[in-house]
Amino acid sequence: MKKKVLVLPGDGVGPELCDAALMVLEQFQLPIEFMYGDIGWECWKKEGDSVPQATWQKIADSDALLLGVVTDKGKETALKELAPPLKEQNLSDVFPLLQLRQKLSLFATICPIRYIIGPKKPFQFCVISEKSEGLSAGLDFRGITPETSAWLQHPNLAKYGLKEAAWSVRLQTRFGLERLFEYAFSYARGHGFKRVTFSDKPNVLRESGQFAQEIFEKIAQNYPEIEADIHNVDALAVWIATKPEQFGVIVAENMFGAILSNLAAGVMGGLGLAAHAHVGDKIACFQPAHGSAPHLAEQNKANPSGMFYTVSLLLEHLGFYEEAKELSQSVDHVIRSGKTVPHDLGGSASPRQMAQAVSNSLANPVSSYRAAIITVGDELLSGQYLNTNLQDLSQSLEKRNIQVTRHFVCADQLQQISETIVSCLGQEDLIIISGGLGPTSDDKTRDSVSQAVRQPLVHHEDVWHTVQGQLERLKIAPDKNNARQALFPKTATVLDNPTGTAPGFYLSCEGSTLVVLPGPPSQALALLEDYLQQNEKKYSSLSRAEYAWTLIGIDESTLAHWVDRHFANEPFERHFLWKSPYVLVQLVGQSSTPLAQPLIEEFEHHFRSHLVGREVTTASQQLAKYAQIHWLIDDPHLLKYFQVPEKNPQNIPQIEVEVSLSPSIETLEKQPESLGHATITVQMKGYDEDQLTFPYTRPLLGVVLQEYAAWSVLKRVLRRENSQ
């Protein structure tokens, strides 16, 4: 039987976010029937009710609600913007979400908070807020009646009188609190959380605080496997901001819960990433945590991430657990890749563009691993030694289709190394660390790893025996410092190092695998290869589609603009590299799914006058496949920029090519300006003279001159080859 979901787009950016969400949902082809209803500010203005009766009728026939965002402008503005025929009816605007909560008994709001991106320790917790009582129960009054003043007394009232005051009631009932706490502990048990924290202010709100505390402690007794504690809301706010990883479920009354959930969303990365589920006994309503942002409406600047995560909660609620997980993972991937993200995440993607990227990720699940490489050593930062490990380790990983996403170089400082590792945990599949495993006091890596993964170092006697034997063969007397090289985090697997005294190791933490290697380049590379071979089954299945083109005589931005526009809907990451005089274009697929041939042909046809080859190459390299070139250059200053080609053993024709330059190379070298244009003239026997005007930077003249000349010759040679 199909599930029925009522979509209520709402106001502001709500319609475009719902549109993006439904675009992603189409990928799953689930048995869900979507209905549509009206809600929000326009309904209030036209009908005098922000939730019209027709919408309530549709709600009654629904299994769940998917709500965009709704606007609330306050009492005075609401009356002012009401349609003229309705202004005399003494209507009162009630915030749509409050109406839904009250009429549908949506007693709690769940706000899942987890690590997605950024330099933080991975965390995952949830804030659950009570929504039927507390300070948002609607018991809010202007002025104090004489009857009320008999018990509502305060010295400040004497200044202006009873009418110049307002007051609210924090209503808490045993029924409401039992229901809330029971739900919080049940949620914790069902989602694997080991701690439930009740946040309140019992030192100030003494009676209601004590009342709630007694009920919380009684409910907690039914869940002995879950740690239960109570903290003041202000102290808890600090801990959420500084140590979010220590929490599980945080439960609070309405006002405190709303504040804490927004704070927690900020820790996660902003309200644009947060999702809400408003739950009741019979129905649930799902919406992103942020507001309607009317100033962003129809500008394609809204962040749809929170809506995508909201849809994931909806799918979980409807029983589509695998699809919910896949959706969250795909949104995570798009955000972490940083290629197609909205403005508030540092990009420029519209909601639909991000939806397309998420859809592409769902259709082509990521089949490559992400890796970060951390190299350690003061000598690397100072430039005393060339950091070859970054290049060698990157190339080793890329050969196996493991995408290296970040490089770090750390000083020999425990805290810096540890914090760098923590910033990668949960975000990268592989974290490769090299250096700092020696026996001296400045070798901090093993202690840093221990601190980052929160595991003690454990002595391995068998490893120590091996290290002692290696030291003896080197005629080095072992001492207590060498014994540190046999210390490893508790769950680590040792990587033997036959050519050195510093073994490596690897372990898993927070969804990442850390591979820790010694610093000497030959040892680091050998141990990484050893690790990859030990886990060959895991990494050998990785595959991805890759395409590369080399172009000349075109600027990078023009090329990128065309490619981005025409390949926007393809599941490929687009990379551009200017390497004078070339622009390299690389498309890397998230799976082995090939790029459509018509797209390849369209690209190559459009840029045929600039295309050097279907690979990372140069005009000189391509030309060498077809001919042996002898450059005939009268100007000795120009001749020095042209290399004599190596003898090609193949039986290929030899071609003499005359080359001249205007202005002369001597003139260019003496000009005060470092940037400009020049014209190279190429003459081949049997062909018309060819002139090519090109931009140059003086420091790169030696690189570009021969390549432009080679390109001029290559075009003619290729035309001849194709005509035969």
Side-chain angles (χ1 to χ4, degrees):
M1 181 182 295
K2 283 189 174 183
K3 301 287 187 179
K4 293 184 178 181
V5 174
L6 178 62
V7 181
L8 302 169
D11 309 308
V13 297
E16 56 198 278
L17 296 185
C18 284
D19 176 58
L22 294 174
M23 179 178 167
V24 171
L25 269 171
E26 288 176 2
Q27 293 292 315
F28 293 112
Q29 297 295 305
L30 294 171
I32 299 176
E33 178 185 344
F34 292 102
M35 305 177 293
Y36 297 87
D38 297 321
I39 195 170
W41 196 251
E42 290 302 315
C43 297
W44 161 255
K45 288 165 59 178
K46 295 176 182 177
E47 302 184 36
D49 192 345
S50 54
V51 188
Q53 189 58 40
T55 298
W56 287 114
Q57 293 172 356
K58 292 180 179 180
I59 290 173
D61 193 35
S62 304
D63 295 303
L65 312 180
L66 180 61
L67 176 62
V69 283
V70 286
T71 297
D72 182 32
K73 297 186 179 182
K75 183 178 178 180
E76 289 187 10
T77 304
L79 294 176
K80 188 181 298 183
E81 295 192 14
L82 197 59
L86 300 173
K87 288 185 176 180
E88 306 302 323
Q89 297 184 22
N90 196 29
L91 298 173
S92 178
D93 176 44
V94 180
F95 186 50
L97 190 54
L98 185 58
Q99 291 193 54
L100 294 175
R101 288 172 183 162
Q102 292 176 343
K103 293 187 179 182
L104 301 177
S105 297
L106 304 178
F107 65 87
T109 292
I110 306 166
C111 183
I113 302 294
R114 63 187 179 86
Y115 172 81
I116 296 175
I117 194 169
K120 312 177 184 77
K121 286 184 179 180
F123 55 85
Q124 184 171 3
F125 64 98
C126 179
V127 180
I128 298 179
S129 311
E130 211 288 331
K131 293 300 179 183
S132 67
E133 302 183 340
L135 284 169
S136 296
L139 302 176
D140 191 49
F141 307 95
R142 179 82 174 263
I144 299 174
T145 64
E147 295 80 10
T148 307
S149 67
W151 56 269
L152 184 57
Q153 300 176 2
H154 194 278
N156 289 356
L157 291 171
K159 178 71 174 177
Y160 295 110
L162 298 178
K163 291 185 178 180
E164 296 300 315
W167 54 289
S168 297
V169 175
R170 181 171 104 140
L171 175 68
Q172 298 193 123
T173 69
R174 179 172 295 277
F175 169 75
L177 290 172
E178 285 181 345
R179 180 173 61 175
L180 173 69
F181 295 144
E182 186 67 46
Y183 186 86
F185 278 98
S186 177
Y187 185 93
R189 177 179 283 174
H191 289 78
F193 291 112
K194 301 300 182 184
R195 180 183 180 187
V196 174
T197 301
F198 174 38
S199 179
D200 204 42
K201 193 66 175 172
N203 59 333
V204 175
L205 303 169
R206 292 185 177 275
E207 293 301 327
S208 61
Q210 180 63 32
F211 177 63
Q213 179 176 334
E214 292 170 0
I215 297 172
F216 176 79
E217 291 173 343
K218 183 178 180 181
I219 298 293
Q221 293 174 9
N222 299 326
Y223 298 84
E225 79 280 12
I226 298 175
E227 177 188 354
D229 55 359
I230 301 173
H231 289 291
N232 282 339
V233 62
D234 43 0
L236 193 68
V238 174
W239 294 332
I240 287 176
T242 56
K243 294 184 177 180
E245 69 278 1
Q246 66 181 304
F247 294 107
V249 170
I250 297 172
V251 60
E253 65 92 32
N254 193 311
M255 186 69 73
F256 293 155
I259 294 170
L260 291 178
S261 63
N262 278 12
L263 170 64
V267 172
M268 184 167 65
L271 282 172
L273 298 176
H276 279 171
H278 310 293
V279 299
D281 295 325
K282 296 181 180 179
I283 196 170
C285 173
F286 301 85
Q287 71 164 153
H290 56 76
S292 61
H295 62 290
L296 295 179
E298 298 181 357
Q299 294 188 38
N300 285 324
K301 291 184 177 181
N303 184 353
S305 306
M307 177 57 89
F308 296 148
Y309 290 127
T310 295
V311 170
S312 179
L313 293 180
L314 168 66
L315 293 178
E316 181 182 331
H317 173 76
L318 295 176
F320 302 113
Y321 302 108
E322 284 302 314
E323 290 82 356
K325 182 179 179 181
E326 289 173 14
L327 176 55
S328 285
Q329 289 176 340
S330 292
V331 179
D332 290 352
H333 170 74
V334 171
I335 291 174
R336 289 169 182 169
S337 69
K339 304 291 184 181
T340 315
V341 293
H343 288 72
D344 63 340
L345 294 180
S348 59
S350 69
R352 286 189 66 86
Q353 286 172 332
M354 188 174 182
Q356 185 63 59
V358 173
S359 298
N360 289 342
S361 180
L362 285 168
N364 299 275
V366 178
S367 60
S368 65
Y369 287 92
R370 293 164 52 94
I373 298 177
I374 304 170
T375 52
V376 177
D378 291 341
E379 70 280 5
L380 302 178
L381 286 170
S382 67
Q384 184 179 355
Y385 288 96
L386 186 63
N387 192 350
T388 58
N389 275 349
L390 279 180
Q391 182 177 17
D392 294 342
L393 300 177
S394 292
Q395 290 176 346
S396 178
L397 294 170
E398 287 286 342
K399 280 192 304 185
R400 290 171 170 83
N401 290 331
I402 299 171
Q403 182 186 8
V404 179
T405 57
R406 293 193 281 177
H407 283 166
F408 299 92
V409 182
C410 292
D412 293 313
Q413 296 177 9
L414 187 150
Q415 197 62 30
Q416 184 185 123
I417 302 168
S418 177
E419 289 175 357
T420 304
I421 295 170
V422 166
S423 73
C424 298
L425 284 174
Q427 188 163 335
E428 311 298 347
D429 302 295
L430 274 172
I431 304 171
I432 311 297
I433 308 161
S434 72
L437 291 181
T440 60
S441 59
D442 63 344
D443 289 312
K444 306 290 188 182
T445 297
R446 70 182 69 251
D447 298 289
S448 300
V449 173
S450 171
Q451 177 175 295
V453 302
R454 300 184 294 280
Q455 291 186 23
L457 293 173
V458 177
H459 178 77
H460 287 226
E461 184 60 30
D462 57 334
V463 175
W464 173 228
H465 181 74
T466 300
V467 171
Q468 285 178 304
Q470 290 172 315
L471 290 170
E472 288 170 2
R473 286 192 292 275
L474 294 170
K475 297 189 181 301
I476 298 174
D479 61 23
K480 64 178 182 180
N481 290 328
N482 295 115
R484 285 184 45 75
Q485 294 176 292
L487 292 175
F488 304 94
K490 186 176 180 179
T491 65
T493 299
V494 177
L495 289 168
D496 294 330
N497 184 2
T499 61
T501 61
F505 59 91
Y506 64 93
L507 72 157
S508 295
C509 180
E510 305 286 357
S512 299
T513 298
L514 288 77
V515 183
V516 187
L517 311 168
S522 60
Q523 297 177 29
L525 186 58
L527 265 65
L528 177 60
E529 291 290 340
D530 183 26
Y531 165 77
L532 293 171
Q533 287 172 11
Q534 288 184 32
N535 296 272
E536 185 174 5
K537 187 175 181 180
K538 179 178 181 180
Y539 299 114
S540 62
S541 61
L542 299 179
S543 63
R544 60 185 181 186
E546 293 189 46
Y547 298 86
W549 294 273
T550 300
L551 298 97
I552 193 172
I554 186 171
D555 65 277
E556 187 179 10
S557 60
T558 299
L559 180 60
H561 178 74
W562 191 96
V563 171
D564 286 341
R565 188 172 73 252
H566 287 77
F567 289 78
N569 295 329
E570 299 303 311
F572 286 82
E573 292 184 354
R574 302 180 291 278
H575 304 278
F576 305 93
L577 175 64
W578 179 75
K579 193 173 182 180
S580 184
Y582 298 106
V583 178
L584 309 179
V585 181
Q586 292 179 292
L587 302 181
V588 181
Q590 297 171 353
S591 73
S592 57
T593 304
L595 186 64
Q597 187 61 31
L599 279 176
I600 296 175
E601 293 172 357
E602 182 183 6
F603 171 82
E604 293 182 351
H605 177 75
H606 187 80
F607 294 106
R608 62 190 180 280
S609 60
H610 303 283
L611 186 61
V612 176
R614 281 186 176 182
E615 56 189 314
V616 178
T617 185
T618 67
S620 293
Q621 290 171 347
Q622 293 294 102
L623 184 57
K625 298 176 182 179
Y626 302 99
Q628 185 89 27
I629 304 300
H630 294 278
W631 302 108
L632 303 179
I633 302 173
D634 294 332
D635 184 348
H637 295 285
L638 179 59
L639 182 60
K640 69 182 181 182
Y641 288 100
F642 283 73
Q643 298 176 357
V644 178
E646 296 180 4
K647 277 198 170 185
N648 197 319
Q650 298 179 8
N651 185 22
I652 60 175
Q654 297 187 11
I655 300 176
E656 293 183 342
V657 180
E658 297 179 10
V659 180
S660 61
L661 186 68
S662 177
S664 69
I665 192 67
E666 191 173 10
T667 302
L668 294 180
E669 289 175 338
K670 292 179 179 179
Q671 283 181 349
E673 296 85 5
S674 295
L675 303 174
H677 282 78
T679 300
I680 194 167
T681 302
V682 177
Q683 177 67 63
M684 292 171 53
K685 187 176 181 180
Y687 291 90
D688 293 335
E689 182 180 272
D690 185 32
Q691 288 190 337
L692 180 65
T693 299
F694 61 92
Y696 71 87
T697 60
R698 194 163 56 216
L700 294 177
L701 273 172
V703 176
V704 304
L705 287 173
Q706 183 167 340
E707 292 306 314
Y708 277 117
W711 170 235
S712 177
V713 177
L714 179 62
K715 287 188 294 183
R716 301 175 183 200
V717 170
L718 290 176
R719 281 199 296 268
R720 182 187 65 193
E721 291 287 325
N722 293 332
S723 65
Q724 291 178 354

